[in-house]
Amino acid sequence: MENKNLEETDVNEKQEVGNGKSAMPMRTCLVMILAGVYVAYLGVSLCQNVINGAEGSSPGFMVAGVIFIVLGVAFVINGIRGSIKAGKIQKESNAESEAQASETETSRTVESKMESTSSLNKKMSIADRANLVSQLGDATEDEE
């Protein structure tokens, strides 16, 4: 649980550093999209009431409706852009963490091979050293 929170914190810090701005989390983007749709819906309903001549509607409501529509569309667009950015950053961080995990695994296997070889024979012949080098080269090629 704590590890997941630390990863989310790291992702948020990377977003802030990478963009110069603080990037929005995915939930914030989804809420912004929903709010934008609702505000646009309210604007459309205001404009429809003015066009249909509902009681108590005035031209001011038409202006307010148009403003609501514009703001709603802007919220939706901003939310979609933010969710795309958050998705890209999350993919990048996952790729980086996988690369780090494989790198640490590689170093552990190389170290374990070196320790097992050095513990068996303190004195190695030239052929043994060549075999060790080839085994290390094979291990790095397998991981790539």
Side-chain angles (χ1 to χ4, degrees):
M1 183 75 166
E2 291 179 14
N3 190 20
K4 188 173 184 179
N5 290 338
L6 291 175
E7 289 175 0
E8 289 177 9
T9 305
D10 291 341
V11 169
N12 289 338
E13 288 174 0
K14 288 179 184 177
Q15 290 173 353
E16 289 177 8
V17 172
N19 296 338
K21 298 180 182 177
S22 63
M24 295 183 291
M26 188 64 77
R27 275 181 278 179
T28 304
C29 296
L30 293 176
V31 169
M32 184 175 285
I33 291 170
L34 291 175
V37 169
Y38 182 67
V39 169
Y41 166 75
L42 288 177
V44 169
S45 66
L46 275 174
C47 291
Q48 283 179 344
N49 287 340
V50 171
I51 291 171
N52 292 336
E55 186 178 329
S57 61
S58 66
F61 286 125
M62 180 66 117
V63 173
V66 171
I67 291 172
F68 274 35
I69 292 171
V70 170
L71 288 176
V73 169
F75 285 167
V76 169
I77 291 171
N78 195 20
I80 291 172
R81 284 183 181 172
S83 66
I84 291 171
K85 284 181 185 179
K88 285 182 182 178
I89 290 173
Q90 187 175 12
K91 287 179 184 177
E92 290 174 0
S93 66
N94 288 343
E96 287 178 7
S97 64
E98 288 176 5
Q100 289 176 351
S102 65
E103 186 176 303
T104 55
E105 185 177 319
T106 303
S107 64
R108 287 179 186 164
T109 31
V110 169
E111 288 174 2
S112 66
K113 285 182 181 181
M114 290 177 64
E115 288 175 3
S116 65
T117 330
S118 64
S119 64
L120 292 175
N121 295 326
K122 292 289 181 178
K123 293 184 179 180
M124 295 176 63
S125 67
I126 294 174
D128 292 335
R129 291 180 186 174
N131 288 333
L132 178 64
V133 170
S134 67
Q135 289 174 355
L136 294 177
D138 292 341
T140 56
E141 287 176 6
D142 291 339
E143 292 171 5
E144 292 175 357

